[in-house]
Amino acid sequence: MGFALILMASVMACSENKEHTAPAIHDRDSVSVMTSYGVNTLISDSGVIKYRIVSERWDVNNVKNPSRWTFEKGIFMEQFDEQFHVEGHVYADSAWYFDQLKLWELRGRVRIRNANGLRFDSEELFWDGVKHEFYSYKFSRVVTPEREMQGTYFRSDEHMMHYEITNSVGSFQSSDIEGDNEPAPTPAPAQAAPNAAGKDTAAPAPPAIRPAATKHAAQRTTTITRNP
């Protein structure tokens, strides 16, 4: 009798259903507060519309420190002036906006075009909304109607009117290079010298002497100012 009860209890224990549960998620900051798809919206600053944002996906996370907006599918932005005129376009493969710091971080193919014909290309760009400036620590390329510049460090004001590139190389107009318009030295005219017979004969002209080259310190920082 006892053996039968033990056997029955074993069969019942084997037939009980077991629940399969996943471990609890403790990393709360990994979940976005809001996710939007097909975004096309206007962003204002101090009551004035400053930007238009177009993106395939927009995630908002207020739990992470610092809080941020995430655009992992790419972003396109238009920047407006106070009269709502388009000042420029910004494109990047991915972007993060840290709203408490007012700081944009753009990655991938970063492109900027403004109304003055300036083009900026890089793989990284930071946009500081507090200091109102752009900067990048990656190789950057700036092309304007007058010149083309490349360098490993870039800093500019928010309107791309005053910018600085270090460790730069590029092409300029000849008028940008100091000393290009200086006239070449004119050799002195030959003077007549008397010969043994007392007759004047023209002395041979001395060979032209090329002025010695002037050494200049290597230029590693280029600052460009464009007047509107």
Side-chain angles (χ1 to χ4, degrees):
M1 183 66 179
F3 178 76
L5 291 175
I6 294 173
L7 181 61
M8 184 179 296
S10 301
V11 172
M12 292 179 62
C14 293
S15 62
E16 291 181 356
N17 294 327
K18 295 183 179 181
E19 295 183 359
H20 300 278
T21 58
I25 299 176
H26 299 287
D27 189 10
R28 292 182 60 248
D29 64 357
S30 64
V31 181
S32 298
V33 176
M34 182 194 76
T35 300
S36 301
Y37 298 92
V39 178
N40 189 340
T41 185
L42 298 174
I43 304 296
S44 61
D45 186 5
S46 301
V48 179
I49 295 177
K50 291 292 187 68
Y51 316 107
R52 182 170 74 95
I53 293 180
V54 179
S55 180
E56 183 178 341
R57 175 172 173 169
W58 176 17
D59 293 282
V60 177
N61 194 312
N62 296 327
V63 182
K64 284 187 175 183
N65 186 20
S67 60
R68 67 202 63 187
W69 304 350
T70 302
F71 303 88
E72 294 184 349
K73 299 294 184 178
I75 188 172
F76 173 83
M77 285 190 291
E78 282 185 329
Q79 184 181 7
F80 304 106
D81 60 11
E82 295 180 355
Q83 287 73 37
F84 206 63
H85 298 149
V86 177
E87 285 190 330
H89 303 87
V90 180
Y91 169 82
D93 286 337
S94 56
W96 295 263
Y97 176 64
F98 303 95
D99 54 326
Q100 296 179 354
L101 304 176
K102 291 188 176 181
L103 177 65
W104 282 94
E105 180 181 348
L106 309 174
R107 298 282 182 177
R109 292 171 295 176
V110 182
R111 308 286 186 264
I112 294 181
R113 307 291 184 269
N114 69 7
N116 295 324
L118 180 142
R119 293 182 295 150
F120 171 86
D121 301 321
S122 184
E123 296 181 355
E124 168 198 87
L125 184 66
F126 294 92
W127 185 355
D128 193 329
V130 176
K131 297 181 179 180
H132 300 285
E133 65 179 12
F134 294 105
Y135 60 92
S136 175
Y137 299 100
K138 297 284 188 179
F139 178 82
S140 303
R141 179 171 174 259
V142 177
V143 179
T144 70
E146 297 84 16
R147 57 180 58 85
E148 177 179 344
M149 296 295 298
Q150 300 176 3
T152 57
Y153 175 74
F154 172 82
R155 185 177 294 273
S156 169
D157 68 310
E158 202 170 45
H159 303 286
M160 287 284 189
M161 298 297 295
H162 311 281
Y163 51 88
E164 175 184 2
I165 300 178
T166 61
N167 297 332
S168 59
V169 296
S171 59
F172 303 86
Q173 294 180 350
S174 59
S175 59
D176 294 336
I177 302 176
E178 182 181 359
D180 273 4
N181 296 326
E182 296 180 359
T186 304
Q191 297 180 354
N195 58 7
K199 296 181 179 180
D200 293 339
T201 58
I209 301 176
R210 184 176 181 180
T214 303
K215 295 184 178 179
H216 297 278
Q219 183 72 20
R220 300 184 63 82
T221 301
T222 302
T223 303
I224 304 297
T225 301
R226 291 178 53 83
N227 296 322

